[in-house]
């Protein structure tokens, strides 16, 4: 399996560095972030605290750095490498002593590779800095000379001038042109409507649907934090065979800007067959050592189910043990930003709000081309599609990596959720869409863009395709369920929903008609269809560039092509394989059982082949 490329942050010596200290023994913003404060920071303004802390984060990386000085001290060429980098400075090392003088001005040139820093920073950089201090370390018996340099201009300011501003301008301009082009092409559909009513009607509906979603998504605004609103929250982490990530997940859930007496974390192990439970218990002990003032012994528990029951059983077991009225479901390979919970709970000031989704980012985005195209897809799916649905308080899927519910609603629907069947077959996946439907039937659901977590996505094609097939099966099943009550929502949302159901289902037929039937039977090149496909890809890619200012924007084009020629054809297959219960991306009991069945079938075929070729039949 390919090694995942993940950002490596310099660990804080304080394990729980973001929890408001009940005894006020330390501050949340360190000296680097404090330099960028406009005024005294309100401790309740957690988004500003998070912004300032982000400026001080150091990322471990090794990249060559070219250093130019005002005068050359020695003729020999000195090679410098970075030990770590932040928005405000860089730590260099070499095998040469006294390379710089304190406070000496130097010019640094380097290339930040993808995955070294947050998305958007990958670029060639050349800026001035100043030596702050020098020191030495013994590494493998050799003396290494370190030089801590402070940038005279922060990387944020440098990127705004050199690349980010240009990215926003270009993306805005081309997005406008692409939108106008789509509208002009749909005017053509109106003109030729009488020649093929079905085809051109689909074309008009699909274009209107797509443009409306982007319009609503672009104008979306996050609900602001009310400093007086701090409801108590129980975070539930269902886990099965996730020994690699469970410690990081637990730490991110505990290390929140949230009062210690209003947040608990419950880890429910679904009888893992690896060292997941051991790793979770080790994490608990590690946190207990941080100090009694954070009450970790009262707020963090690990519970193992008596027998394997699946993800829904694990979640419900956690809900029954939860002390508080709001429950947050977090996947075991998802990692929360420290301000995630504070942002996530804000919509519950509305008594009719039943559930809230946060935004999910891709953690291993720079591993390979597959994870890069998923990065663009994930961002658009949340920042545009869910944001558009939130205008009507009717988000149709509160995604599994991070979602919050009213506990009473989960308990009311718990039995039906656990025993859900579709056409007589148990519904073992799609738990997030399924629970969303139960909530949405009687209450509102929305989306909070500032409530961010990151997750590990499949980096191999087989797991990715299995995941996509599973999602399509659950989407089909839950969309049919939602039809029974979505008409009670706002009329525009109901129309939104109906079109969103029809367009993907009809898409395979439309693609076959335009790319095969028309060219073969009428000898017409599908120019208009291909241009439309290009424009759809441009909308996705440029929206990502506009918001993220990242070089990954071009992978939106690749995703659209991959969807049209590969993923789209999973839709018909999903209709006739709805009964399958394997996940494909993790070792669930259903996956293990399916693998054992495949091995048995393979063994029987092998024995049968031997018998047919004169071997001894057993």
């Amino acid at each position: 399996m390919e090694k995942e490329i993940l950002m490596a942050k310099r660990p804080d010596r304080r394990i729980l560095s973001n929890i408001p200290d009940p005894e006020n023994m330390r501050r949340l913003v360190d000296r680097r972030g404090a330099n960028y404060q406009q005024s005294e920071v309100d401790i309740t303004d957690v988004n500003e605290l998070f912004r300032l802390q982000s400026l001080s984060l150091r990322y471990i990386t090794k990249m060559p750095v070219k250093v130019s000085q005002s005068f050359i001290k020695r003729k020999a060429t000195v090679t410098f490498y970075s030990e770590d980098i932040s928005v405000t400075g860089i730590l260099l090392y070499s095998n040469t002593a006294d390379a710089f003088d304190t406070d000496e001005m130097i010019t640094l040139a380097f290339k930040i590779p993808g995955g070294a820093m947050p998305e958007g920073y990958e670029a060639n950089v050349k800026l001035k800095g100043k030596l702050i201090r020098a020191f030495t370390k013994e590494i493998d018996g050799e003396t290494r000379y370190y030089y801590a340099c402070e940038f005279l201009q922060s990387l944020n300011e440098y990127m705004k001038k050199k690349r980010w501003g240009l990215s926003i301008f270009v993306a805005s301009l081309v997005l406008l042109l692409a939108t106008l082009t789509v509208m002009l092409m749909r005017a053509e559909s109106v003109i030729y409507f009488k020649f093929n009513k079905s085809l051109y009607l689909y074309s008009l509906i699909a274009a209107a649907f797509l443009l409306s979603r982007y319009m609503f998504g672009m104008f979306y605004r996050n609900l602001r934090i009310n400093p007086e609103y701090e409801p108590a929250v129980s975070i539930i982490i269902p886990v099965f065979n996730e020994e690699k990530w469970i410690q990081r997940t637990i730490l991110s859930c505990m290390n929140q800007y949230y009062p210690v007496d209003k947040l608990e974390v419950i880890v429910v192990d679904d009888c893992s067959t690896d060292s997941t439970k051991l790793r979770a218990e080790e994490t608990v002990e590690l946190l207990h050592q941080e100090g009694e003032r954070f009450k970790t012994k009262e707020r963090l528990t690990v519970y193992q189910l008596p027998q394997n029951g699946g993800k829904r059983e694990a979640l419900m077991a956690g809900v029954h043990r939860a002390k508080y009225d709001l429950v947050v479901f977090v996947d075991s390979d998802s990692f929360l930003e420290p301000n995630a919970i504070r942002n996530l709970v804000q919509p519950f000031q509305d008594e009719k709000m039943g559930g809230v989704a946060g935004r999910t980012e891709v953690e291993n985005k720079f591993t390979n081309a597959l994870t890069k195209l998923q990065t663009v897809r994930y961002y658009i799916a949340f920042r545009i599609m869910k944001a558009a649905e939130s205008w009507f308080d009717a988000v149709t899927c509160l995604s599994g990596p991070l979602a919050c519910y009213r506990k009473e609603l989960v308990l009311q629907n718990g039995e039906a959720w656990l025993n859900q069947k579709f056409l007589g077959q148990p519904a073992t996946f799609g738990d997030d869409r399924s629970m969303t439907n139960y909530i949405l039937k009687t209450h509102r659901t929305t989306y909070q863009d500032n409530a961010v977590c990151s997750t590990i996505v499949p980096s191999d094609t087989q797991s990715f395709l299995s995941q996509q097939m599973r999602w399509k099966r659950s989407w089909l099943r839950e969309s049919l369920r939602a039809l029974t009550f979505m008409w009670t929502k706002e009329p525009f949302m109901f129309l939104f929903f109906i079109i969103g159901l029809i367009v993907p289902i009809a898409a395979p037929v439309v693609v076959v008609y335009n790319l095969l039937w028309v060219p073969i039977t009428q000898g017409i090149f599908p120019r208009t269809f291909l241009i439309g496909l290009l424009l759809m890809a441009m909308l996705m890619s440029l929206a990502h560039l506009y918001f993220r200012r990242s070089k990954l924007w071009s992978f939106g084009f690749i995703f659209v092509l991959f969807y049209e020629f590969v993923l789209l054809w999973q839709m018909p297959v999903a209709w006739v394989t709805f009964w399958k219960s394997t996940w494909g991306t993790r070792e669930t009991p259903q996956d293990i059982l399916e693998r054992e069945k495949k091995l048995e079938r393979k063994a029987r075929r092998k024995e049968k082949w031997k018998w047919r070729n004169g071997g001894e039949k057993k």
Side-chain angles (χ1 to χ4, degrees), residues 303-350:
Y303 170 74
Q304 187 175 55
L305 294 179
Q307 61 183 20
N308 181 271
K311 187 176 180 180
R312 298 190 190 196
E313 289 281 357
L315 286 168
M316 285 306 300
V319 171
H320 284 294
R321 283 166 175 74
K323 294 188 293 186
Y324 303 128
D325 293 334
L326 292 182
V327 291
V328 176
F329 293 171
V330 175
D331 281 350
S332 53
D333 57 355
S334 298
F335 321 116
L336 276 57
E337 298 289 7
N339 60 339
I341 297 299
R342 192 64 177 271
N343 281 282
L344 190 65
V345 301
Q346 295 306 307
F348 288 101
Q349 295 173 76
D350 177 0

Side-chain angles (χ1 to χ4, degrees), residues 189-190 192-205 513:
S189 296
V190 174
Y192 294 104
F193 183 79
K194 61 182 179 180
F195 297 107
N196 192 327
K197 293 182 175 60
S198 299
L199 177 64
Y200 287 111
L201 179 61
Y202 175 88
S203 180
L204 287 167
I205 290 174
Y513 180 84

Side-chain angles (χ1 to χ4, degrees), residues 34 107 133 166 184 225 235 237 297 321 353 392 422 467 480 533-534 547:
T107 301
R133 65 190 180 97
L166 180 62
L184 287 173
I225 291 177
I235 300 177
I237 309 171
K297 290 184 179 180
R321 283 166 175 74
M353 189 61 63
F392 310 99
F422 181 66
Q467 179 202 64
L480 293 176
L533 196 64
L534 174 64
F547 285 111

Side-chain angles (χ1 to χ4, degrees), residues 94-95 136-146:
S94 73
N95 57 359
T136 61
K137 281 184 182 179
E138 290 293 325
I139 308 292
D140 297 328
E142 295 184 359
T143 301
R144 182 178 289 181
Y145 300 90
Y146 285 86

Side-chain angles (χ1 to χ4, degrees), residues 165-196:
L166 180 62
S167 297
I168 292 175
F169 173 77
V170 171
S172 302
L173 179 62
V174 182
L175 270 171
L176 177 61
L177 293 175
T179 302
L180 293 175
T181 304
V182 171
M183 294 174 69
L184 287 173
M185 290 180 67
R186 291 319 101 204
E188 180 189 49
S189 296
V190 174
I191 295 172
Y192 294 104
F193 183 79
K194 61 182 179 180
F195 297 107
N196 192 327

